[in-house]
Amino acid sequence: SQELEQSPQSLIVQEGKNLTINCTSSKTLYGLYWYKQKYGEGLIFLMMLQKGGEEKSHEKITAKLDEKKQQSSLHITASQPSHAGIYLCGAMGGKLIFGQGTELSVKP
Amino acid sequence: NAGVTQTPKFQVLKTGQSMTLQCAQDMNHNSMYWYRQDPGMGLRLIYYSASEGTTDKGEVPNGYNVSRLNKREFSLRLESAAPSQTSVYFCASSSQTAIEQYFGPGTRLTVT
């Protein structure tokens, strides 16, 4: 069965700094989703990537899909406290499966 | 347009008790899902319903049952709660199984 590994598991950055979260799949990626979860709340859909090399942006968050590496990266530019939360990647492998999440804290 | 709603928000059960978690969506979605979220393990699919009238097991179905009551509602039942079922439960829906899912706010369940 397909597995998704996210790195790092947690991240603390100073406000204004850039950061990258990676999601690596054990099998070929046919579609990759990024979600954000605020503490104590449900998941909010950020974006979906479907093709190798595809890159999408949502405000200051950019995600890219590298099919050959079976990996997606999520990049936040000039982080703000509002970016804090847990970021999860998800992939369709018959059913939607999720990585274990990356917890992001942004220090003002 | 409330999206996906879940009740209750919090629940404490004793071992052996039963309860049903309710989920409803008002987006006319065909597919609905139940997940549990545990520290360090991410989200794991318990059951899903690709369309009204169908249900299928996910990754961790043992100890749970589901009912797709109609297109809007998908309930999760714990017949005899165990401490290992202490978790946060999320319901989600999507128009089809292969596209983005919309999540409810979650139910925090503690089994003592």
Side-chain angles (χ1 to χ4, degrees):
Chain A
S1 59
Q2 187 173 19
E3 292 183 355
L4 295 176
E5 183 76 26
Q6 285 186 237
S7 61
Q9 289 190 12
S10 64
L11 195 52
I12 302 173
V13 298
Q14 201 70 37
E15 183 176 357
K17 295 293 185 185
N18 302 336
L19 64 105
T20 299
I21 298 168
N22 291 307
C23 174
T24 303
S25 172
S26 60
K27 294 187 177 181
T28 302
L29 285 167
Y30 293 106
L32 195 286
Y33 305 82
W34 283 101
Y35 285 85
K36 179 187 174 185
Q37 183 180 24
K38 289 191 175 180
Y39 298 106
E41 297 181 18
L43 278 68
I44 298 168
F45 172 75
L46 293 176
M47 58 192 89
M48 177 173 71
L49 305 165
Q50 290 183 293
K51 301 175 193 174
E54 186 173 13
E55 184 173 312
K56 285 188 177 177
S57 293
H58 173 72
E59 298 176 348
K60 291 188 177 178
I61 301 174
T62 301
K64 193 185 297 187
L65 180 61
D66 186 331
E67 244 177 13
K68 286 182 182 176
K69 289 185 181 177
Q70 296 178 176
Q71 185 179 71
S72 177
S73 57
L74 184 106
H75 185 76
I76 298 177
T77 304
S79 58
Q80 301 168 4
S82 62
H83 287 128
I86 300 172
Y87 289 82
L88 293 101
C89 61
M92 285 304 298
K95 304 167 188 118
L96 184 60
I97 59 169
F98 287 90
Q100 79 276 30
T102 295
E103 187 171 353
L104 172 63
S105 300
V106 180
K107 286 187 171 181
Chain B
N1 192 341
V4 180
T5 56
Q6 291 182 237
T7 55
K9 284 190 165 50
F10 301 93
Q11 184 71 48
V12 179
L13 291 178
K14 293 185 177 177
T15 298
Q17 287 185 317
S18 61
M19 80 159 295
T20 300
L21 280 64
Q22 306 285 356
C23 174
Q25 52 90 10
D26 62 2
M27 296 174 281
N28 201 36
H29 283 168
N30 289 314
S31 302
M32 297 185 74
Y33 313 82
W34 276 106
Y35 294 90
R36 59 179 289 174
Q37 186 177 37
D38 303 290
M41 304 196 72
L43 277 164
R44 292 180 293 169
L45 183 65
I46 304 171
Y47 271 94
Y48 71 104
S49 170
S51 61
E52 188 179 354
T54 69
T55 59
D56 284 290
K57 294 179 180 179
E59 186 183 353
V60 287
N62 291 343
Y64 305 95
N65 285 301
V66 291
S67 295
R68 183 77 183 265
L69 304 169
N70 47 55
K71 193 171 186 179
R72 286 188 67 246
E73 298 172 288
F74 189 38
S75 62
L76 179 72
R77 183 158 178 85
L78 286 70
E79 290 291 350
S80 179
S84 61
Q85 294 178 305
T86 293
S87 187
V88 181
Y89 291 86
F90 288 100
C91 176
S93 71
S94 63
S95 58
Q96 300 166 39
T97 54
I99 66 172
E100 69 268 22
Q101 297 178 11
Y102 294 84
F103 284 76
T107 294
R108 190 171 294 273
L109 175 68
T110 301
V111 183
T112 60

